Amino acid sequence: MSRIITVFGATGTQGGSVIRSLLSHPVLSKQFKIRGVTRDVSKPAAVALVKQGVEVGDLSSPTSVDAAIDGSHTVFLVTNFWETMDVKQEIAQGRNVADAAKKAKISHLIFSSLPSVSKASNGALTNVAHFDGKAEIEEYMRSTGVPSTFFLAGYYMSNYTQLFNKLEDGSYLLAYPVGPDTKFPLLDAAADTGKFIGAIVRNREKLLGESVLGATAYYTPRQIVEEFSTVIGKKANFVQVTESQYTSVLPPMLATSLLESNLFIEKPGYFQGQSLEPTLALLDEKPITWKVFLDTTQAFN
């Protein structure tokens, strides 16, 4: 009898990737029955999952978290700060799932976490709620004793579909308030999150209590624009702007948070200098490179 793996955020970027990867994996697809959880079961993406044989659960009722987890062997949870931009609500959701997982005595909780920017910067950067909230959820999960592994997603390659600005002469400009050699751990989240989560599922005993870094490689802004030019065939330049120049073009409610998240990537570093090799060695399928992402995206056509 197949064990149940419950995937929260089933129609989102990370959750959708996990489900696609599980369905296509020659071993895991036979070992697990997938239960996808979403806030709107009527969405086309949710209906499509049902057609693929995925059981789709509804998160709209007060008891829905308990119901979603009931009978599960493994749970993958990703919380979405940007949905409400309310970190307290995000933390509450994470704690609720952790409590339900403990009550249900599940075998493996996999949480999509992020580093604590406040702690890693020794209190210098305290406004990056979309990182710190997840780090707080992780801390709580660890305190519950639920068997857990923590997936730390890198910097989304898809961000660059918004970050590259096309100029009047047809060239592109990438601007950051950090230096050209800052290391960004890039991840094609839609294509590759599932590869990493699949590796975590397959290596449960080895990875309980561990953090798994989710990125293909570290890329600098210098490398990012060079490979962009090579693949897209258009001239691209990187410009380091001042902090005030960077924040002046952002919505006020996001400016400080986005500035500090970039300063954090420069120092002490997104993963604080940790090697990606131990995680990459666990994968049974290579992750997408920046060049391959550029070659397949339609964003710059």
Side-chain angles (χ1 to χ4, degrees):
M1 183 176 173
S2 296
R3 295 170 291 184
I4 297 173
I5 181 167
T6 294
V7 178
F8 284 83
T11 59
T13 300
Q14 289 192 30
S17 178
V18 171
I19 290 177
R20 288 191 298 274
S21 185
L22 291 171
L23 286 172
S24 63
H25 195 277
V27 177
L28 296 179
S29 61
K30 294 179 176 62
Q31 292 178 336
F32 287 93
K33 175 178 173 56
I34 305 168
R35 179 186 293 159
V37 184
T38 181
R39 294 189 184 280
D40 185 356
V41 296
S42 66
K43 283 199 298 190
V47 174
L49 289 176
V50 174
K51 292 179 180 177
Q52 295 176 72
V54 176
E55 176 189 339
V56 176
D58 189 350
L59 260 188
S60 60
S61 70
T63 59
S64 57
V65 171
D66 286 342
I69 288 177
D70 185 50
S72 299
H73 174 277
T74 300
V75 172
F76 170 73
L77 173 66
V78 56
T79 54
N80 186 2
F81 168 82
W82 302 107
E83 189 173 48
T84 62
M85 295 187 63
D86 182 344
V87 71
K88 290 183 179 179
Q89 186 172 328
E90 181 184 20
I91 291 169
Q93 182 193 358
R95 290 172 70 108
N96 287 343
V97 171
D99 291 343
K102 183 172 185 178
K103 181 180 175 182
K105 298 180 180 178
I106 70 161
S107 296
H108 198 189
L109 175 58
I110 305 169
F111 176 57
S112 183
S113 186
L114 282 172
S116 170
V117 174
S118 296
K119 290 181 179 179
S121 67
N122 294 317
L125 306 170
T126 59
N127 296 290
V128 191
H130 58 291
F131 274 64
D132 286 353
K134 288 179 174 60
E136 187 170 329
I137 294 169
E138 176 183 334
E139 189 174 337
Y140 179 76
M141 287 178 173
R142 289 183 181 276
S143 75
T144 66
V146 175
S148 304
T149 305
F150 303 93
F151 169 69
L152 277 63
Y155 193 94
Y156 283 18
M157 293 181 187
S158 58
N159 289 343
Y160 291 104
T161 62
Q162 304 295 323
L163 294 176
F164 271 99
N165 293 303
K166 190 172 186 178
L167 305 180
E168 289 184 2
D169 64 359
S171 67
Y172 285 85
L173 181 69
L174 176 65
Y176 275 129
V178 298
D181 296 315
T182 300
K183 294 180 178 180
F184 288 77
L186 299 192
L187 171 72
D188 184 346
D192 290 342
T193 299
K195 297 175 187 175
F196 288 95
I197 302 307
I200 293 171
V201 172
R202 296 193 314 275
N203 293 275
R204 174 189 176 276
E205 291 76 14
K206 180 180 179 179
L207 295 174
L208 286 177
E210 299 295 327
S211 295
V212 173
L213 310 183
T216 298
Y218 288 106
Y219 291 82
T220 66
R222 195 193 310 272
Q223 291 173 298
I224 289 167
V225 296
E226 286 177 356
E227 294 191 7
F228 181 95
S229 294
T230 299
V231 176
I232 302 300
K234 301 285 187 179
K235 183 178 179 182
N237 292 299
F238 166 69
V239 174
Q240 181 176 357
V241 296
T242 66
E243 294 180 16
S244 59
Q245 286 173 327
Y246 182 76
T247 56
S248 67
V249 297
L250 296 172
M253 65 186 302
L254 294 176
T256 302
S257 175
L258 294 179
L259 169 65
E260 290 193 3
S261 66
N262 281 292
L263 297 179
F264 166 71
I265 294 170
E266 183 172 46
K267 186 178 180 181
Y270 196 109
F271 292 137
Q272 291 100 71
Q274 295 181 77
S275 171
L276 302 176
E277 292 310 313
T279 294
L280 293 172
L282 297 171
L283 302 184
D284 59 5
E285 185 181 355
K286 289 185 178 180
I288 300 296
T289 64
W290 173 232
K291 278 187 175 180
V292 171
F293 175 83
L294 288 168
D295 199 38
T296 54
T297 183
Q298 302 299 311
F300 304 106
N301 289 349

